[in-house]
Amino acid sequence: MKNSNTLLLVLVISLLVLGGVSCSRLNASKQDSSTETSDGDSKPGLTLENFNRIKTGMSYKEVVEILGSEGESIMSVGGSQGDIASYKWERKSPSQSVTIIFTDGKMSTKMQMRLK
């Protein structure tokens, strides 16, 4: 367990250093739909609104539905303490990105850079 937590901590710190990234870890009990449009429907894409819709515990498939595309696999590590995978969604112009870490297939940490 200690080794798994250390690996996750190193990954998160590395991602923060590489991009001046804003990090947000959500409490699963605070899942709400306050960022949805008035008709309860939002368009997929790389936006701050969609980033805020991504909640702790969501699957990769649910995140892809919100962001509208597959992410680029950055890292995947499996071990006796569980699996950790990270994916990045990126827009070149203007430079914006979302990085999400999944632990045992569920969203555990999310980071964004310059989303509006």
Side-chain angles (χ1 to χ4, degrees):
M1 179 78 168
K2 183 179 178 183
N3 196 19
S4 169
N5 289 340
T6 301
L7 178 61
L8 182 58
L9 180 61
V10 168
L11 174 65
V12 170
I13 290 171
S14 298
L15 291 171
L16 290 171
V17 169
L18 289 175
V21 178
S22 143
C23 179
S24 173
R25 182 171 176 102
L26 296 177
N27 181 339
S29 67
K30 293 185 178 180
Q31 294 185 8
D32 64 34
S33 59
S34 61
T35 59
E36 292 181 352
T37 58
S38 59
D39 62 0
D41 198 18
S42 294
K43 293 181 181 178
L46 201 58
T47 66
L48 184 58
E49 177 182 354
N50 286 340
F51 175 81
N52 290 332
R53 291 177 55 212
I54 299 168
K55 306 296 181 189
T56 299
M58 284 186 165
S59 68
Y60 176 77
K61 181 180 177 183
E62 291 172 305
V63 171
V64 167
E65 288 175 9
I66 291 171
L67 297 179
S69 65
E70 298 277 328
E72 173 189 353
S73 177
I74 297 173
M75 182 202 73
S76 183
V77 177
S80 61
Q81 300 299 319
D83 298 323
I84 298 172
S86 63
Y87 294 87
K88 185 174 188 174
W89 287 259
E90 191 170 27
R91 179 180 302 144
K92 300 293 185 196
S93 180
S95 179
Q96 298 174 322
S97 67
V98 169
T99 302
I100 298 182
I101 299 171
F102 294 86
T103 304
D104 292 328
K106 301 295 181 182
M107 197 289 285
S108 58
T109 303
K110 66 180 187 175
M111 295 155 267
Q112 64 92 4
M113 185 175 72
R114 299 187 193 108
L115 291 182
K116 295 180 180 183

